[in-house]
Amino acid sequence: MNETYPELVFGLVGAIGTDLAQVEDALRNSLTAVGYVAVPIKLSDLMRELNPPWSNFPGRGDPEYYGKAMDAGNNLREALQDAGAMVKLAISSIRRRRDKAAEEGLKVAYILNSLKRTEEIECLREIYGPSAFIISAYSPRESRVARLAMRLAEQQHENQSAGYRGEAEKLISRDEKEKSKFGQGVRKAYPLADLFLGTASRANVITSVERFIQVLFGNFWKTPTRDEEGMALAHLASMRSASPARQVGAAITDDCGRVVSIGTNEVAKAQGGQYWEGDAGDQRDFLFEDRDQSDKMRWNLLADVVDRLRKLNRLSGDCPTNSQLFDSDSSDYDALREAQLFDTIDFVRCVHAEASALFSAGLATRGATLYVTDFPCHECARHIVISGIKRVVYIEPYPKSLVTVLYHDSISVDADEGSDHRIQFIPFSGIAPSVYGQLFRVPSNRKRKAEDGKITKWEPLSSFPHFFAAYSEQAARRAESVLILESNQKLIEKGILNDKD
């Protein structure tokens, strides 16, 4: 390991069908520009080093590769009862590769392709701290289906991909969110990134990655984009929400990037506005409810339907009672919680963040941009349409609401900007709001000009990673060693890894 420059770890996140190879290429080239050597690690390949049956899944040229590789990863996590098991294999691989890099005196960055679960991201950050970075790549679902269908066709030596779209759809749905406790979970992992980028254009991928590396390595002439600042404001606004469900923030800016208003999901109060911490007569939900009010009311709706079907003799005798349906500790709870009924609009008293920002903005919303940390619900969508907002930028990339069904005439999701007269819903691309303040802050020991007024130039090869938290390489190595020891012991006990390995 180079004594001066720290080792870096990059984790890539992207739904199946997303071209992560071009992200990896762009990252490798950008790291080369700052004097780092990139070492790619394919997580699924690491399972081939384990004992059968874990290593017995087809190669990438096989038509069953994707499904079998997913099965192998799921089975490994379940066997170890560890949702972060795959990334721990990668951490062991990093340590094995480190000696060679140290011998050659290289500045090294490892690229892990790809991460599927939030636990994997949390594990990397726990071990490597500020030297670990997550990049989430987005591709519209239709593009992913088409790309994956073509891959599946090529594996069968066919040129027509239409017959493989159904299989591609199934794989994509599975990859986004499996019901299994140890299954694929890209949907939840995606929003945890330090950098978001779209893969529709190779030029955009290269530009986005280059800029991120330059900012990371202290190029203080790279300042926030309008979208980065807008989303940072939305993220900041979300922090004041005390909603039992989740924190959501929104910000509206005009064509010049000037802030029109911000909003969060919080309970409305008489005379206007929403409750703040310290307000007299605070009536926020968490002060008066012992469980989420929205969940409670939706469970009541479900129980009411079941009760009425029972009275009509449409149900079998072993159907649970209302109280059993409502019991969150019952074995059926998770299955019932996945019902479409629970995707309906909340019954909570909170005004949604988008609506809060719109109401606060008054008439200044026509032609403006709305930034929101989560994809808007279909209730907020109608407010967005009538307000005159022309563009909505969001982080959560997988629409969970019925926006595209109810407002297909007014809202376009995933379309190229400027190609449609409808309101454009655009996935956020840029440096994540969670690291906005740290990466764009100029350190006190860095000066943009010398004492004589001469402008300071950024020198790529002599630049140093701009960590936004205290970093100790020794502490990282100790944590890494403990994790690998515990992980390997578990693998050996389960017969997944040989003792000599």
Side-chain angles (χ1 to χ4, degrees):
M1 178 65 193
N2 187 284
E3 294 182 357
T4 304
Y5 291 87
E7 180 180 271
L8 305 177
V9 179
F10 293 86
L12 306 186
V13 178
I16 188 171
T18 302
D19 190 358
L20 288 180
Q22 65 172 319
V23 179
E24 186 176 306
D25 288 343
L27 184 55
R28 182 170 54 249
N29 293 334
S30 296
L31 288 165
T32 298
V34 292
Y36 268 71
V37 173
V39 178
I41 297 176
K42 185 74 173 177
L43 267 65
S44 58
D45 287 347
L46 298 177
M47 287 189 290
R48 300 192 187 280
E49 302 171 5
L50 304 176
N51 294 334
W54 317 102
S55 56
N56 291 346
F57 61 94
R60 287 187 175 81
D62 192 288
E64 296 186 339
Y65 166 74
Y66 296 107
K68 296 295 185 182
M70 286 184 185
D71 290 340
N74 292 359
N75 293 338
L76 178 65
R77 287 186 284 262
E78 186 170 5
L80 296 171
Q81 290 294 292
D82 184 357
M86 289 294 295
V87 84
K88 291 177 182 178
L89 296 180
I91 292 172
S92 293
S93 181
I94 287 174
R95 190 168 72 167
R96 292 196 302 271
R97 297 163 188 253
R98 182 177 293 128
D99 291 340
K100 181 178 180 181
E103 290 176 5
E104 299 177 7
L106 301 174
K107 297 187 286 185
V108 179
Y110 299 94
I111 304 175
L112 311 187
N113 186 0
S114 62
L115 307 180
K116 296 294 185 180
R117 294 191 59 90
T118 59
E119 294 87 351
E120 295 171 343
I121 296 173
E122 291 165 358
C123 182
L124 280 182
R125 286 174 169 162
E126 181 178 350
I127 298 300
Y128 299 113
S131 66
F133 304 93
I134 308 302
I135 299 177
S136 286
Y138 176 76
S139 179
R141 186 184 181 90
E142 178 57 33
S143 298
R144 287 185 279 125
V145 171
R147 188 168 184 272
L148 186 55
M150 181 58 71
R151 283 187 187 175
L152 294 170
E154 290 172 349
Q155 289 170 343
Q156 297 283 16
H157 310 293
E158 295 185 20
N159 294 323
Q160 297 294 328
S161 62
Y164 295 90
R165 288 183 63 86
E167 185 178 351
E169 287 274 10
K170 290 180 181 178
L171 287 169
I172 285 173
S173 295
R174 178 183 179 185
D175 181 66
E176 289 178 358
K177 182 184 179 184
E178 282 189 311
K179 294 180 181 179
S180 167
K181 182 179 178 182
F182 299 104
Q184 311 295 303
V186 174
R187 178 177 292 183
K188 290 185 177 181
Y190 182 96
L192 302 182
D194 300 300
L195 172 69
F196 299 95
L197 56 85
T199 61
S201 162
R202 182 174 292 274
N204 175 71
V205 171
I206 293 172
T207 300
S208 297
V209 173
E210 282 182 350
R211 179 173 176 273
F212 178 70
I213 293 300
Q214 289 187 21
V215 172
L216 175 61
F217 276 76
N219 185 351
F220 43 56
W221 299 117
K222 295 293 182 181
T223 57
T225 64
R226 293 184 184 186
D227 281 359
E228 285 170 340
E229 181 166 289
M231 192 58 74
L233 290 169
H235 176 72
L236 186 64
S238 74
M239 295 181 182
R240 89 167 184 91
S241 170
S243 168
R246 56 181 175 172
Q247 292 181 307
V248 183
I252 297 175
T253 64
D254 65 15
D255 282 343
C256 296
R258 294 172 297 199
V259 180
V260 175
S261 67
I262 60 173
T264 189
N265 57 323
E266 193 51 271
V267 176
K269 66 177 182 178
Q271 311 304 321
Q274 297 162 293
Y275 286 108
W276 285 84
E277 176 77 14
D279 277 359
D282 191 347
Q283 296 287 312
R284 289 177 291 174
D285 285 337
F286 76 94
L287 294 169
F288 304 98
E289 299 291 341
D290 59 354
R291 65 183 299 138
D292 186 274
Q293 185 75 0
S294 183
D295 277 354
K296 183 177 179 180
M297 289 188 174
R298 284 182 290 199
W299 274 108
N300 286 340
L301 290 176
L302 179 59
D304 177 62
V305 171
V306 170
D307 188 52
R308 292 173 185 274
L309 289 173
R310 181 185 289 107
K311 290 177 180 177
L312 292 171
N313 296 318
R314 296 293 191 268
L315 300 177
S316 62
D318 60 353
C319 178
T321 64
N322 291 5
S323 61
Q324 289 172 318
L325 275 175
F326 190 75
D327 184 5
S328 61
D329 295 326
S330 71
S331 59
D332 298 331
Y333 178 83
D334 289 340
L336 291 171
R337 190 65 179 80
E338 293 295 324
Q340 292 187 42
L341 171 66
F342 289 89
D343 286 334
T344 56
I345 298 304
D346 296 339
F347 289 96
V348 293
R349 295 160 57 229
C350 284
V351 175
H352 285 194
E354 304 94 315
S356 173
L358 289 168
F359 296 150
S360 298
L363 299 177
T365 55
R366 186 169 299 278
T369 295
L370 169 66
Y371 299 92
V372 61
T373 53
D374 284 38
F375 191 94
C377 72
H378 39 274
E379 183 177 273
C380 287
R382 63 188 178 198
H383 301 316
I384 292 170
V385 172
I386 199 172
S387 72
I389 289 285
K390 72 173 183 180
R391 182 170 176 265
V392 176
V393 182
Y394 59 94
I395 285 182
E396 170 59 56
Y398 304 104
K400 294 175 287 186
S401 68
L402 297 175
V403 165
T404 55
V405 176
L406 298 176
Y407 301 101
H408 58 86
D409 62 319
S410 304
I411 294 174
S412 174
V413 179
D414 284 343
D416 292 333
E417 291 196 61
S419 64
D420 200 310
H421 71 281
R422 295 173 293 177
I423 303 166
Q424 303 291 306
F425 275 44
I426 307 296
F428 173 69
S429 180
I431 291 173
S434 57
V435 295
Y436 176 94
Q438 295 91 335
L439 290 184
F440 286 114
R441 177 182 60 83
V442 179
S444 58
N445 62 346
R446 297 292 308 279
K447 304 297 181 184
R448 284 180 165 175
K449 64 178 182 179
E451 292 184 1
D452 61 359
K454 188 175 182 180
I455 298 296
T456 303
K457 292 184 178 180
W458 180 69
E459 300 293 342
L461 293 177
S462 61
S463 62
F464 196 85
H466 180 37
F467 288 164
F468 44 82
Y471 172 72
S472 168
E473 183 178 294
Q474 291 183 339
R477 297 293 174 271
R478 286 195 297 269
E480 181 187 73
S481 296
V482 171
L483 179 140
I484 291 172
L485 178 62
E486 293 176 349
S487 178
N488 285 349
Q489 285 178 341
K490 214 170 187 180
L491 289 168
I492 293 169
E493 289 172 3
K494 296 286 185 179
I496 299 172
L497 186 69
N498 294 329
D499 198 357
K500 63 181 180 180
D501 297 333

